[in-house]
Amino acid sequence: MTLHAPVVLDIAGTALSAADRKRLKHPLTGGLILFARHFENRRQLTELCASIKKLRPDLLICVDHEGGRVQRFRSDGFTALPAMRVLGEQWQRDPLGATDAATALGYVLAAELRACGVDLSFAPVLDLDHGESTVIGERAFHRDPRVVALLAKSVMHGLLRAGMANCGKHFPGHGHVRADSHTEVPVDRRSLKAILADDARPYEWLSTSLTAVMPAHVVYPKVDGHPAGFSERWLKEILRGQFGFTGAVFSDDLSMEGARHLEGGTLSYAEAATLALHAGCDLVLLCNQTLAGGAAVDELLGGLQQAAAEGRWQPDPDSEQRRLALLPQTAPLAWDELMHDPGYQHALERLP
């Protein structure tokens, strides 16, 4: 029996194929991530999530659904959520009103997703708005880490009200680099002292509130030669040791350019996953590979299984407990119930 199911993968279409079912049943599969292509309408999304849970009730169904330009489901009743920067701008005018709006946003975001069967959104973004990053941009709340921490905590409170865990990203901070780690390997040349005093502060201040963290595919050469998601220094020594974080750590997408050009060459997906798990990740994501037939997903699952058999990777029961702790512990409101719920209606009114 596998004591650890660390792989989060995706599927090609809007319903499960035979190949999808086989991959989701694999003992190393612990979750599934959805994208806009998986959404036709609410009924289809709800049926897809139900079919996944029927196959594996313990699978964690995830999505990147933040608001602004990163919102996967936008029609058939889903509320168009503002980018996080809008909350930061509201803070400048009305700080406490902004925290209430942030809680409202978190609640609407999570309640709508949960009504369709989605367990977790990879939110909130804790990156600081340095005005440099093209990939972060309006996804960041603010330049000031204190404002970021307070608004993020308010969003997380809203998520929690709807029974959803959270995931702060991208540790220790992606906002200072211009390069996009989807297509390049960004390098942040600041000192550890500078990063800990600024970009990483929200993770320290939210160490007891965060249930999950996603590290950046960014290299901080004055701290470690590996990107943060592959660095024991960042994940084990700083995030867990220094900050005391006890939740789950997700790798960012292993198919991103910033994830595989390591160790002086290009790693296979299984090698990259093994490196991330050794460094302190509990779960590893591999996205958008099923569109090309899924050979990369099969290579990852098979390679990781072989690494475990050969003793090159040891499944971790503590990591598995952290994964399972992210599953919602309460039943969601069905969509029609939600639409008539006074708390939801009030939250809609409080959105910025």
Side-chain angles (χ1 to χ4, degrees):
M1 178 180 173
T2 300
L3 295 175
H4 184 190
V7 177
V8 180
L9 45 80
D10 67 0
I11 59 175
T14 54
L16 294 181
S17 67
D20 295 327
R21 291 176 183 277
K22 182 178 179 181
R23 292 180 187 118
L24 293 178
K25 285 182 179 178
H26 194 286
L28 293 181
T29 300
L32 179 139
I33 181 168
L34 299 173
F35 293 93
R37 71 173 187 273
H38 298 118
F39 181 81
E40 290 178 344
N41 52 60
R42 277 191 294 106
R43 180 176 178 178
Q44 167 270 324
L45 176 64
T46 304
E47 289 175 351
L48 172 61
C49 290
S51 67
I52 293 163
K53 290 293 187 176
K54 185 176 181 181
L55 194 69
R56 282 274 305 275
D58 70 303
L59 279 185
L60 186 68
I61 303 176
C62 312
V63 67
D64 277 319
H65 197 85
E66 304 165 8
R69 58 188 164 91
V70 182
Q71 181 174 343
R72 304 306 187 201
F73 315 137
R74 295 173 173 271
S75 59
D76 200 12
F78 273 94
T79 302
L81 299 168
M84 295 300 102
R85 179 182 284 169
V86 173
L87 290 166
E89 291 168 347
Q90 184 176 350
W91 173 278
Q92 297 299 114
R93 305 187 302 271
D94 177 14
L96 293 179
T99 65
D100 194 45
T103 300
L105 187 150
Y107 179 69
V108 170
L109 184 160
E112 291 180 356
L113 288 176
R114 289 211 60 209
C116 296
V118 178
D119 298 321
L120 176 69
S121 176
F122 291 120
V125 168
L126 300 181
D127 300 311
L128 305 188
D129 187 2
H130 288 276
E132 291 292 324
S133 175
T134 54
V135 72
I136 302 302
E138 66 175 12
R139 297 167 67 191
F141 289 105
H142 203 274
R143 169 62 184 87
D144 188 331
R146 298 169 298 179
V147 177
V148 170
L150 288 168
L151 289 176
K153 191 167 189 174
S154 298
V155 169
M156 288 152 56
H157 182 203
L159 298 175
L160 183 63
R161 280 197 60 220
M164 183 178 283
N166 59 69
C167 182
K169 60 187 185 184
H170 306 82
F171 176 78
H174 199 311
H176 195 264
V177 290
R178 184 177 294 275
D180 179 352
S181 53
H182 291 83
T183 56
E184 302 175 66
V185 185
V187 178
D188 186 334
R189 301 191 182 279
R190 290 176 299 166
S191 67
L192 175 61
K193 182 179 180 181
I195 297 166
L196 292 182
D198 200 12
D199 294 62
R201 291 310 293 274
Y203 295 92
E204 181 181 4
W205 290 327
L206 299 173
S207 64
T208 56
S209 303
L210 286 163
T211 46
V213 164
M214 181 179 287
H217 285 329
V218 176
V219 177
Y220 308 85
K222 291 186 179 175
V223 184
D224 193 342
H226 284 137
F230 301 89
S231 165
E232 289 191 44
R233 180 90 191 278
W234 279 116
L235 300 182
K236 292 182 178 179
E237 292 182 25
I238 297 171
L239 182 62
R240 293 214 186 276
Q242 191 171 329
F243 293 173
F245 176 68
T246 60
V249 177
F250 287 85
S251 82
D252 208 341
D253 179 12
L254 294 179
S255 70
M256 289 163 60
E257 197 69 16
R260 295 173 61 212
H261 294 293
L262 306 164
E263 310 284 287
T266 301
L267 302 183
S268 71
Y269 291 119
E271 290 168 337
T274 303
L275 191 64
L277 293 164
H278 276 306
C281 288
D282 300 297
L283 297 117
V284 291
L285 274 78
L286 183 59
C287 305
N288 298 317
Q289 300 304 303
T290 50
L291 291 169
V297 180
D298 296 331
E299 182 266 318
L300 170 58
L301 291 169
L304 204 52
Q305 196 164 37
Q306 185 175 352
E310 295 173 357
R312 290 181 285 110
W313 169 65
Q314 188 66 42
D316 185 348
D318 291 337
S319 287
E320 182 66 359
Q321 286 304 309
R322 289 191 279 264
R323 181 186 76 84
L324 294 173
L326 296 174
L327 291 165
Q329 304 301 306
T330 58
L333 290 176
W335 190 272
D336 289 346
E337 290 179 272
L338 183 64
M339 293 302 105
H340 294 94
D341 179 71
Y344 172 77
Q345 292 293 338
H346 178 63
L348 288 176
E349 294 170 2
R350 296 296 289 171
L351 290 177

mmCIF file with all atom_site columns, all heavy atoms in Angstrom, residues 4 21 32 116 149 153 174 184 230 233 236 245 252 270 274 310:
data_model
loop_
_atom_site.group_PDB
_atom_site.id
_atom_site.type_symbol
_atom_site.label_atom_id
_atom_site.label_alt_id
_atom_site.label_comp_id
_atom_site.label_asym_id
_atom_site.label_entity_id
_atom_site.label_seq_id
_atom_site.pdbx_PDB_ins_code
_atom_site.Cartn_x
_atom_site.Cartn_y
_atom_site.Cartn_z
_atom_site.occupancy
_atom_site.B_iso_or_equiv
_atom_site.pdbx_formal_charge
_atom_site.auth_seq_id
_atom_site.auth_comp_id
_atom_site.auth_asym_id
_atom_site.auth_atom_id
_atom_site.pdbx_PDB_model_num
ATOM 1   N N   . HIS A 1 4   ? 1.803   7.504  0.325   1.00 0.00 ? 4   HIS A N   1
ATOM 2   C CA  . HIS A 1 4   ? 1.993   8.898  -0.110  1.00 0.00 ? 4   HIS A CA  1
ATOM 3   C C   . HIS A 1 4   ? 1.598   9.001  -1.575  1.00 0.00 ? 4   HIS A C   1
ATOM 4   O O   . HIS A 1 4   ? 2.121   8.271  -2.412  1.00 0.00 ? 4   HIS A O   1
ATOM 5   C CB  . HIS A 1 4   ? 3.472   9.277  0.095   1.00 0.00 ? 4   HIS A CB  1
ATOM 6   C CG  . HIS A 1 4   ? 3.801   10.697 -0.222  1.00 0.00 ? 4   HIS A CG  1
ATOM 7   N ND1 . HIS A 1 4   ? 5.109   11.131 -0.291  1.00 0.00 ? 4   HIS A ND1 1
ATOM 8   C CD2 . HIS A 1 4   ? 3.030   11.776 -0.478  1.00 0.00 ? 4   HIS A CD2 1
ATOM 9   C CE1 . HIS A 1 4   ? 5.110   12.430 -0.584  1.00 0.00 ? 4   HIS A CE1 1
ATOM 10  N NE2 . HIS A 1 4   ? 3.867   12.839 -0.709  1.00 0.00 ? 4   HIS A NE2 1
ATOM 11  N N   . ARG A 1 21  ? -9.050  7.765  -16.242 1.00 0.00 ? 21  ARG A N   1
ATOM 12  C CA  . ARG A 1 21  ? -9.457  6.929  -15.104 1.00 0.00 ? 21  ARG A CA  1
ATOM 13  C C   . ARG A 1 21  ? -8.295  6.071  -14.618 1.00 0.00 ? 21  ARG A C   1
ATOM 14  O O   . ARG A 1 21  ? -8.084  5.915  -13.414 1.00 0.00 ? 21  ARG A O   1
ATOM 15  C CB  . ARG A 1 21  ? -10.657 6.048  -15.497 1.00 0.00 ? 21  ARG A CB  1
ATOM 16  C CG  . ARG A 1 21  ? -11.927 6.846  -15.720 1.00 0.00 ? 21  ARG A CG  1
ATOM 17  C CD  . ARG A 1 21  ? -13.084 5.959  -16.202 1.00 0.00 ? 21  ARG A CD  1
ATOM 18  N NE  . ARG A 1 21  ? -14.257 6.767  -16.464 1.00 0.00 ? 21  ARG A NE  1
ATOM 19  C CZ  . ARG A 1 21  ? -15.137 7.161  -15.544 1.00 0.00 ? 21  ARG A CZ  1
ATOM 20  N NH1 . ARG A 1 21  ? -14.967 6.776  -14.281 1.00 0.00 ? 21  ARG A NH1 1
ATOM 21  N NH2 . ARG A 1 21  ? -16.173 7.906  -15.860 1.00 0.00 ? 21  ARG A NH2 1
ATOM 22  N N   . LEU A 1 32  ? -5.909  16.398 -8.812  1.00 0.00 ? 32  LEU A N   1
ATOM 23  C CA  . LEU A 1 32  ? -6.147  16.771 -10.198 1.00 0.00 ? 32  LEU A CA  1
ATOM 24  C C   . LEU A 1 32  ? -6.332  18.279 -10.255 1.00 0.00 ? 32  LEU A C   1
ATOM 25  O O   . LEU A 1 32  ? -6.973  18.861 -9.381  1.00 0.00 ? 32  LEU A O   1
ATOM 26  C CB  . LEU A 1 32  ? -7.399  16.044 -10.712 1.00 0.00 ? 32  LEU A CB  1
ATOM 27  C CG  . LEU A 1 32  ? -7.822  16.334 -12.145 1.00 0.00 ? 32  LEU A CG  1
ATOM 28  C CD1 . LEU A 1 32  ? -8.254  15.056 -12.835 1.00 0.00 ? 32  LEU A CD1 1
ATOM 29  C CD2 . LEU A 1 32  ? -8.972  17.328 -12.165 1.00 0.00 ? 32  LEU A CD2 1
ATOM 30  N N   . CYS A 1 116 ? -19.681 23.363 -6.996  1.00 0.00 ? 116 CYS A N   1
ATOM 31  C CA  . CYS A 1 116 ? -19.484 22.540 -8.195  1.00 0.00 ? 116 CYS A CA  1
ATOM 32  C C   . CYS A 1 116 ? -18.581 21.329 -7.940  1.00 0.00 ? 116 CYS A C   1
ATOM 33  O O   . CYS A 1 116 ? -18.339 20.545 -8.861  1.00 0.00 ? 116 CYS A O   1
ATOM 34  C CB  . CYS A 1 116 ? -18.904 23.389 -9.317  1.00 0.00 ? 116 CYS A CB  1
ATOM 35  S SG  . CYS A 1 116 ? -19.999 24.706 -9.863  1.00 0.00 ? 116 CYS A SG  1
ATOM 36  N N   . ALA A 1 149 ? -0.031  40.769 3.759   1.00 0.00 ? 149 ALA A N   1
ATOM 37  C CA  . ALA A 1 149 ? -0.355  39.765 4.782   1.00 0.00 ? 149 ALA A CA  1
ATOM 38  C C   . ALA A 1 149 ? -1.773  39.954 5.310   1.00 0.00 ? 149 ALA A C   1
ATOM 39  O O   . ALA A 1 149 ? -2.529  38.981 5.472   1.00 0.00 ? 149 ALA A O   1
ATOM 40  C CB  . ALA A 1 149 ? 0.656   39.833 5.913   1.00 0.00 ? 149 ALA A CB  1
ATOM 41  N N   . LYS A 1 153 ? -4.789  37.390 4.604   1.00 0.00 ? 153 LYS A N   1
ATOM 42  C CA  . LYS A 1 153 ? -5.438  36.724 5.738   1.00 0.00 ? 153 LYS A CA  1
ATOM 43  C C   . LYS A 1 153 ? -6.950  36.894 5.665   1.00 0.00 ? 153 LYS A C   1
ATOM 44  O O   . LYS A 1 153 ? -7.716  35.976 6.004   1.00 0.00 ? 153 LYS A O   1
ATOM 45  C CB  . LYS A 1 153 ? -4.899  37.279 7.052   1.00 0.00 ? 153 LYS A CB  1
ATOM 46  C CG  . LYS A 1 153 ? -5.320  36.466 8.271   1.00 0.00 ? 153 LYS A CG  1
ATOM 47  C CD  . LYS A 1 153 ? -4.518  36.856 9.486   1.00 0.00 ? 153 LYS A CD  1
ATOM 48  C CE  . LYS A 1 153 ? -4.780  35.892 10.629  1.00 0.00 ? 153 LYS A CE  1
ATOM 49  N NZ  . LYS A 1 153 ? -3.907  36.165 11.788  1.00 0.00 ? 153 LYS A NZ  1
ATOM 50  N N   . HIS A 1 174 ? 7.992   36.040 -5.952  1.00 0.00 ? 174 HIS A N   1
ATOM 51  C CA  . HIS A 1 174 ? 8.246   36.051 -7.393  1.00 0.00 ? 174 HIS A CA  1
ATOM 52  C C   . HIS A 1 174 ? 8.172   37.475 -7.948  1.00 0.00 ? 174 HIS A C   1
ATOM 53  O O   . HIS A 1 174 ? 8.477   37.732 -9.104  1.00 0.00 ? 174 HIS A O   1
ATOM 54  C CB  . HIS A 1 174 ? 7.207   35.159 -8.086  1.00 0.00 ? 174 HIS A CB  1
ATOM 55  C CG  . HIS A 1 174 ? 7.575   34.695 -9.469  1.00 0.00 ? 174 HIS A CG  1
ATOM 56  N ND1 . HIS A 1 174 ? 8.029   35.555 -10.450 1.00 0.00 ? 174 HIS A ND1 1
ATOM 57  C CD2 . HIS A 1 174 ? 7.541   33.465 -10.027 1.00 0.00 ? 174 HIS A CD2 1
ATOM 58  C CE1 . HIS A 1 174 ? 8.257   34.853 -11.562 1.00 0.00 ? 174 HIS A CE1 1
ATOM 59  N NE2 . HIS A 1 174 ? 7.970   33.593 -11.338 1.00 0.00 ? 174 HIS A NE2 1
ATOM 60  N N   . GLU A 1 184 ? 11.129  31.008 -18.784 1.00 0.00 ? 184 GLU A N   1
ATOM 61  C CA  . GLU A 1 184 ? 12.541  31.263 -18.490 1.00 0.00 ? 184 GLU A CA  1
ATOM 62  C C   . GLU A 1 184 ? 12.852  30.798 -17.069 1.00 0.00 ? 184 GLU A C   1
ATOM 63  O O   . GLU A 1 184 ? 11.962  30.395 -16.333 1.00 0.00 ? 184 GLU A O   1
ATOM 64  C CB  . GLU A 1 184 ? 12.838  32.776 -18.585 1.00 0.00 ? 184 GLU A CB  1
ATOM 65  C CG  . GLU A 1 184 ? 12.518  33.421 -19.914 1.00 0.00 ? 184 GLU A CG  1
ATOM 66  C CD  . GLU A 1 184 ? 12.733  34.924 -19.863 1.00 0.00 ? 184 GLU A CD  1
ATOM 67  O OE1 . GLU A 1 184 ? 13.886  35.359 -19.698 1.00 0.00 ? 184 GLU A OE1 1
ATOM 68  O OE2 . GLU A 1 184 ? 11.732  35.661 -19.975 1.00 0.00 ? 184 GLU A OE2 1
ATOM 69  N N   . PHE A 1 230 ? 12.968  23.464 -5.303  1.00 0.00 ? 230 PHE A N   1
ATOM 70  C CA  . PHE A 1 230 ? 13.888  22.322 -5.314  1.00 0.00 ? 230 PHE A CA  1
ATOM 71  C C   . PHE A 1 230 ? 15.000  22.513 -4.275  1.00 0.00 ? 230 PHE A C   1
ATOM 72  O O   . PHE A 1 230 ? 16.049  21.903 -4.365  1.00 0.00 ? 230 PHE A O   1
ATOM 73  C CB  . PHE A 1 230 ? 14.505  22.157 -6.704  1.00 0.00 ? 230 PHE A CB  1
ATOM 74  C CG  . PHE A 1 230 ? 13.489  21.930 -7.785  1.00 0.00 ? 230 PHE A CG  1
ATOM 75  C CD1 . PHE A 1 230 ? 12.911  22.998 -8.456  1.00 0.00 ? 230 PHE A CD1 1
ATOM 76  C CD2 . PHE A 1 230 ? 13.074  20.652 -8.117  1.00 0.00 ? 230 PHE A CD2 1
ATOM 77  C CE1 . PHE A 1 230 ? 11.957  22.798 -9.445  1.00 0.00 ? 230 PHE A CE1 1
ATOM 78  C CE2 . PHE A 1 230 ? 12.122  20.438 -9.102  1.00 0.00 ? 230 PHE A CE2 1
ATOM 79  C CZ  . PHE A 1 230 ? 11.570  21.511 -9.762  1.00 0.00 ? 230 PHE A CZ  1
ATOM 80  N N   . ARG A 1 233 ? 17.191  24.264 1.497   1.00 0.00 ? 233 ARG A N   1
ATOM 81  C CA  . ARG A 1 233 ? 17.469  25.469 2.294   1.00 0.00 ? 233 ARG A CA  1
ATOM 82  C C   . ARG A 1 233 ? 16.196  26.300 2.455   1.00 0.00 ? 233 ARG A C   1
ATOM 83  O O   . ARG A 1 233 ? 15.857  26.727 3.553   1.00 0.00 ? 233 ARG A O   1
ATOM 84  C CB  . ARG A 1 233 ? 18.563  26.289 1.592   1.00 0.00 ? 233 ARG A CB  1
ATOM 85  C CG  . ARG A 1 233 ? 18.939  27.578 2.332   1.00 0.00 ? 233 ARG A CG  1
ATOM 86  C CD  . ARG A 1 233 ? 20.073  27.336 3.315   1.00 0.00 ? 233 ARG A CD  1
ATOM 87  N NE  . ARG A 1 233 ? 20.279  28.465 4.212   1.00 0.00 ? 233 ARG A NE  1
ATOM 88  C CZ  . ARG A 1 233 ? 20.970  29.567 3.916   1.00 0.00 ? 233 ARG A CZ  1
ATOM 89  N NH1 . ARG A 1 233 ? 21.529  29.697 2.726   1.00 0.00 ? 233 ARG A NH1 1
ATOM 90  N NH2 . ARG A 1 233 ? 21.124  30.515 4.826   1.00 0.00 ? 233 ARG A NH2 1
ATOM 91  N N   . LYS A 1 236 ? 12.987  23.359 3.827   1.00 0.00 ? 236 LYS A N   1
ATOM 92  C CA  . LYS A 1 236 ? 13.151  22.695 5.123   1.00 0.00 ? 236 LYS A CA  1
ATOM 93  C C   . LYS A 1 236 ? 13.737  23.621 6.186   1.00 0.00 ? 236 LYS A C   1
ATOM 94  O O   . LYS A 1 236 ? 13.244  23.663 7.327   1.00 0.00 ? 236 LYS A O   1
ATOM 95  C CB  . LYS A 1 236 ? 14.024  21.447 4.970   1.00 0.00 ? 236 LYS A CB  1
ATOM 96  C CG  . LYS A 1 236 ? 13.359  20.346 4.154   1.00 0.00 ? 236 LYS A CG  1
ATOM 97  C CD  . LYS A 1 236 ? 14.243  19.100 4.079   1.00 0.00 ? 236 LYS A CD  1
ATOM 98  C CE  . LYS A 1 236 ? 13.549  17.983 3.298   1.00 0.00 ? 236 LYS A CE  1
ATOM 99  N NZ  . LYS A 1 236 ? 14.410  16.772 3.184   1.00 0.00 ? 236 LYS A NZ  1
ATOM 100 N N   . PHE A 1 245 ? 6.288   26.592 9.533   1.00 0.00 ? 245 PHE A N   1
ATOM 101 C CA  . PHE A 1 245 ? 5.139   26.197 8.730   1.00 0.00 ? 245 PHE A CA  1
ATOM 102 C C   . PHE A 1 245 ? 4.936   24.686 8.787   1.00 0.00 ? 245 PHE A C   1
ATOM 103 O O   . PHE A 1 245 ? 5.877   23.915 8.621   1.00 0.00 ? 245 PHE A O   1
ATOM 104 C CB  . PHE A 1 245 ? 5.339   26.649 7.283   1.00 0.00 ? 245 PHE A CB  1
ATOM 105 C CG  . PHE A 1 245 ? 4.258   26.203 6.342   1.00 0.00 ? 245 PHE A CG  1
ATOM 106 C CD1 . PHE A 1 245 ? 2.976   26.715 6.462   1.00 0.00 ? 245 PHE A CD1 1
ATOM 107 C CD2 . PHE A 1 245 ? 4.522   25.277 5.349   1.00 0.00 ? 245 PHE A CD2 1
ATOM 108 C CE1 . PHE A 1 245 ? 1.970   26.301 5.599   1.00 0.00 ? 245 PHE A CE1 1
ATOM 109 C CE2 . PHE A 1 245 ? 3.523   24.870 4.476   1.00 0.00 ? 245 PHE A CE2 1
ATOM 110 C CZ  . PHE A 1 245 ? 2.242   25.382 4.610   1.00 0.00 ? 245 PHE A CZ  1
ATOM 111 N N   . ASP A 1 252 ? 5.418   24.091 -7.957  1.00 0.00 ? 252 ASP A N   1
ATOM 112 C CA  . ASP A 1 252 ? 4.729   24.688 -9.094  1.00 0.00 ? 252 ASP A CA  1
ATOM 113 C C   . ASP A 1 252 ? 4.830   23.687 -10.256 1.00 0.00 ? 252 ASP A C   1
ATOM 114 O O   . ASP A 1 252 ? 5.484   22.634 -10.138 1.00 0.00 ? 252 ASP A O   1
ATOM 115 C CB  . ASP A 1 252 ? 5.351   26.053 -9.442  1.00 0.00 ? 252 ASP A CB  1
ATOM 116 C CG  . ASP A 1 252 ? 4.355   27.009 -10.101 1.00 0.00 ? 252 ASP A CG  1
ATOM 117 O OD1 . ASP A 1 252 ? 3.323   26.538 -10.611 1.00 0.00 ? 252 ASP A OD1 1
ATOM 118 O OD2 . ASP A 1 252 ? 4.626   28.220 -10.110 1.00 0.00 ? 252 ASP A OD2 1
ATOM 119 N N   . ALA A 1 270 ? 10.197  12.766 -13.927 1.00 0.00 ? 270 ALA A N   1
ATOM 120 C CA  . ALA A 1 270 ? 10.354  11.950 -12.721 1.00 0.00 ? 270 ALA A CA  1
ATOM 121 C C   . ALA A 1 270 ? 11.556  12.417 -11.901 1.00 0.00 ? 270 ALA A C   1
ATOM 122 O O   . ALA A 1 270 ? 11.498  12.459 -10.668 1.00 0.00 ? 270 ALA A O   1
ATOM 123 C CB  . ALA A 1 270 ? 10.499  10.476 -13.096 1.00 0.00 ? 270 ALA A CB  1
ATOM 124 N N   . THR A 1 274 ? 11.303  13.902 -8.160  1.00 0.00 ? 274 THR A N   1
ATOM 125 C CA  . THR A 1 274 ? 12.080  13.312 -7.058  1.00 0.00 ? 274 THR A CA  1
ATOM 126 C C   . THR A 1 274 ? 12.897  14.375 -6.346  1.00 0.00 ? 274 THR A C   1
ATOM 127 O O   . THR A 1 274 ? 12.963  14.412 -5.106  1.00 0.00 ? 274 THR A O   1
ATOM 128 C CB  . THR A 1 274 ? 12.997  12.193 -7.599  1.00 0.00 ? 274 THR A CB  1
ATOM 129 O OG1 . THR A 1 274 ? 12.196  11.226 -8.272  1.00 0.00 ? 274 THR A OG1 1
ATOM 130 C CG2 . THR A 1 274 ? 13.767  11.521 -6.475  1.00 0.00 ? 274 THR A CG2 1
ATOM 131 N N   . GLU A 1 310 ? 13.333  1.390  -6.016  1.00 0.00 ? 310 GLU A N   1
ATOM 132 C CA  . GLU A 1 310 ? 14.803  1.302  -5.954  1.00 0.00 ? 310 GLU A CA  1
ATOM 133 C C   . GLU A 1 310 ? 15.392  2.057  -4.770  1.00 0.00 ? 310 GLU A C   1
ATOM 134 O O   . GLU A 1 310 ? 16.612  2.132  -4.634  1.00 0.00 ? 310 GLU A O   1
ATOM 135 C CB  . GLU A 1 310 ? 15.383  1.840  -7.267  1.00 0.00 ? 310 GLU A CB  1
ATOM 136 C CG  . GLU A 1 310 ? 15.012  0.994  -8.479  1.00 0.00 ? 310 GLU A CG  1
ATOM 137 C CD  . GLU A 1 310 ? 15.457  1.623  -9.794  1.00 0.00 ? 310 GLU A CD  1
ATOM 138 O OE1 . GLU A 1 310 ? 16.004  2.754  -9.746  1.00 0.00 ? 310 GLU A OE1 1
ATOM 139 O OE2 . GLU A 1 310 ? 15.274  0.991  -10.856 1.00 0.00 ? 310 GLU A OE2 1
#
